[in-house]
Amino acid sequence: MISLRFRRALLLALASVMLCAPQTVAAQTPPDPAASASAATPDRPSYEVSLRSDADGSHWTGRQTVSFRNSARTQLRSIDIRLWGNGTDGCGTPEALSPVRVGRITGGTPRPLTVDCTALQVDLSAPLPYGARTSISFDVDITVPDRVHRFGKDGAHRYLGNALPLLSVRDAQGRHLDPDVGFGESFYTLTGDFRVALDHPVALVVPATGTTTRRAGAPGRTVTTSAAHGVRDFAWAAGPFLSRTVTTPGGVRLNAYWTAATSPEGVATDLKDAVGSVDAFGKRFGRYPYGELDLVMSDNLDEFGSMEFPGLVLLWTEPEGSAVVHEIAHQWFYGIVGNDQFAAPWLDESFAQYANQSYYGENTTTCWQDQPAWPSDTAEITRPMSYFADGHRSEFGRVVYGRGSCALHDLERTLGTPAMTTMLRDYVRDHWLGVSTTTDFKRAAQAATSQDLTPFWTEHRIN
């Protein structure tokens, strides 16, 4: 993600700042970024969703079924559902309910909501053995908050990022029930398949993750159905968008959507850079696997910025330089190569910023040396979100975006560009649609050279 505040401060969007006030938080079960994700469960999720909207896309109701496999050697007795859309609002107030609510659960018994109403444990109807599959179903009620946000409103347009309930991950470190800290991302999900049917008024245009088809519904309504395979999340938008579709020379379908108030120059620039970067990253890191990519653009996201989702990016078409290339780079780093974004945010943000700077051919020869001094003795590129949220929020952009991307440029100078290019492509291939850790990346980099990189990791505070 890229936000305005750090873009202006660091020229190239060095931070990801949301609208919430900072909090002092800690992970409920602190994960170890170095741990293998091979035993993560439940895995191979498949989501079937059917939702119906009100007249303007502010309210969606329907039913969701998620099936999954137990990949742990022990029986799985319960699962956790993350209601990330409640991250900003928590459990609501007597006057306003939480934006995302679930009910009428079948296949298990729900416990009380926890983690500020963003986590719901469901005890399965029967213990699930290793390798077996089961499913649960529940009603979904989503009310889009009245704010300009990745899950919010922009005039007549609605954005539903992080709105759909998702399965949480359990692994050797336990249950990953980390809180939403109000900036950056706290998400950690495994890739799965989605089939989402969205029933809405004909007047609403609905871009969404995945390959989308549309058919007539009841009088005055349209059913937009999206299928996505091997993705970690599902996002959509709704409103009177203008649109245009182009196909890149590499064969990727780009669907551009924008509000009537969005500048034509901003749309043209974003679309041009999107066409170039999605093909360039495909050649460098591995071909974009999802066939099509939606760009949802607005001039009014200045307080929020831009945000990546699998197969869909939300973009502020800003006059100071678009974040489109950074957000498209996230399709590889977070989307294709996953990471625990709470435990190791640098593995997607630093890498996306590095890819962004490389695409534009920025001169990064003295990037590391030119960085401002470390903001504190405790600052490290590999710190988790709990560290930044606990009194170190001001370090987030400078360290993760600024020093993190420059460390990767410095690594390229250390290895040499050909070796760095080969290493990164192999790294992406080895973790394709899986999950990587800092240890995985350090191991890949060390395998690319006979030089001992221990002093490099120490100097760059990659621990």
Side-chain angles (χ1 to χ4, degrees):
M1 176 188 174
I2 286 289
S3 75
L4 170 63
R5 184 178 303 175
F6 286 109
R7 179 184 300 281
R8 288 178 173 169
L10 300 179
L11 300 179
L12 281 165
L14 300 182
S16 174
V17 178
M18 298 295 169
L19 302 178
C20 299
Q23 310 171 51
T24 299
V25 300
Q28 288 198 349
T29 306
D32 177 5
S36 169
S38 60
T41 196
D43 72 348
R44 303 183 187 179
S46 179
Y47 297 84
E48 291 279 343
V49 186
S50 180
L51 298 174
R52 178 183 173 88
S53 83
D54 62 358
D56 67 358
S58 294
H59 189 209
W60 299 77
T61 57
R63 190 82 175 157
Q64 177 171 334
T65 296
V66 54
S67 66
F68 49 86
R69 186 188 74 149
N70 178 19
S71 56
R73 293 289 177 176
T74 57
Q75 289 185 332
L76 186 64
R77 299 180 180 275
S78 66
I79 54 97
D80 297 300
I81 300 170
R82 295 311 304 261
L83 309 179
W84 286 113
N86 295 338
T88 297
D89 302 278
C91 297
T93 66
E95 294 78 25
L97 297 172
S98 296
V100 181
R101 289 166 286 153
V102 300
R104 205 164 59 90
I105 296 174
T106 59
T109 303
R111 295 192 182 188
L113 286 163
T114 60
V115 197
D116 210 13
C117 289
T118 67
L120 175 66
Q121 181 175 334
V122 178
D123 295 331
L124 299 178
S125 298
L128 188 65
Y130 167 67
R133 290 189 69 87
T134 193
S135 65
I136 64 168
S137 299
F138 45 86
D139 289 346
V140 181
D141 189 302
I142 299 172
T143 301
V144 181
D146 189 13
R147 59 171 176 265
V148 179
H149 196 263
R150 63 188 175 200
F151 180 32
K153 300 178 180 179
D154 166 21
H157 303 83
R158 311 291 179 253
Y159 306 121
L160 291 104
N162 308 121
L164 205 63
L166 300 174
L167 286 177
S168 185
V169 178
R170 299 183 183 188
D171 56 23
Q173 283 65 55
R175 299 162 63 198
H176 289 263
L177 298 181
D178 306 305
D180 184 331
V181 300
F183 65 100
E185 289 85 43
S186 297
F187 316 127
Y188 178 25
T189 55
L190 305 181
T191 55
D193 299 333
F194 289 77
R195 182 175 177 82
V196 180
L198 302 169
D199 183 329
H200 55 86
V202 170
L204 298 181
V205 177
V206 179
T209 292
T211 301
T212 301
T213 58
R214 297 172 178 86
R215 63 173 176 82
R221 299 186 69 86
T222 296
V223 177
T224 296
T225 301
S226 293
H229 303 285
V231 296
R232 302 178 193 279
D233 199 350
F234 185 95
W236 73 100
F241 291 103
L242 303 173
S243 65
R244 177 189 174 196
T245 295
V246 300
T247 301
T248 73
V252 179
R253 179 185 174 96
L254 293 180
N255 305 309
Y257 301 88
W258 63 94
T259 69
T262 305
S263 67
E265 296 80 10
V267 172
T269 297
D270 276 4
L271 196 51
K272 173 179 175 293
D273 287 351
V275 167
S277 61
V278 75
D279 279 355
F281 294 153
K283 291 177 181 177
R284 185 172 187 189
F285 304 128
R287 181 174 172 80
Y288 179 76
Y290 303 126
E292 63 183 69
L293 174 62
D294 290 357
L295 314 174
V296 182
M297 297 175 276
S298 172
D299 279 1
N300 296 329
L301 301 178
D302 51 317
E303 291 187 7
F304 168 71
S306 301
M307 180 68 192
E308 75 282 355
F309 301 98
L312 183 150
V313 293
L314 181 60
L315 298 168
W316 173 42
T317 51
E318 53 197 296
E320 297 181 14
S322 172
V324 63
V325 173
H326 175 99
E327 306 305 345
I328 287 178
H330 274 304
Q331 299 299 311
W332 279 263
F333 300 106
Y334 147 76
I336 295 170
V337 179
N339 62 293
D340 181 339
Q341 293 182 303
F342 189 92
W346 89 286
L347 284 175
D348 58 285
E349 293 298 357
S350 300
F351 282 63
Q353 188 66 3
Y354 161 82
N356 175 81
Q357 293 165 337
S358 298
Y359 174 77
Y360 285 118
E362 294 184 29
N363 183 357
T364 59
T365 304
T366 60
C367 181
W368 182 257
Q369 294 84 346
D370 293 342
Q371 283 294 305
W374 289 101
S376 70
D377 291 340
T378 57
E380 295 177 2
I381 289 172
T382 48
R383 287 288 191 183
M385 289 305 299
S386 54
Y387 168 84
F388 294 112
D390 191 11
H392 301 278
R393 180 172 176 170
S394 63
E395 296 181 6
F396 183 62
R398 292 170 59 185
V399 173
V400 174
Y401 288 73
R403 284 193 169 272
S405 61
C406 284
L408 293 172
H409 289 297
D410 218 21
L411 180 63
E412 181 173 345
R413 284 185 287 275
T414 299
L415 301 181
T417 295
M420 181 75 165
T421 299
T422 300
M423 183 273 291
L424 282 176
R425 188 174 181 87
D426 290 347
Y427 167 74
V428 172
R429 178 202 62 205
D430 292 344
H431 299 282
W432 192 264
L433 301 186
V435 175
S436 178
T437 66
T438 297
T439 296
D440 291 331
F441 177 70
K442 291 170 70 174
R443 185 181 297 117
Q446 185 60 73
T449 179
S450 59
Q451 176 183 343
D452 181 7
L453 293 179
T454 301
F456 180 92
W457 307 129
T458 300
E459 177 190 353
H460 293 79
R461 300 192 187 182
I462 297 175
N463 299 315

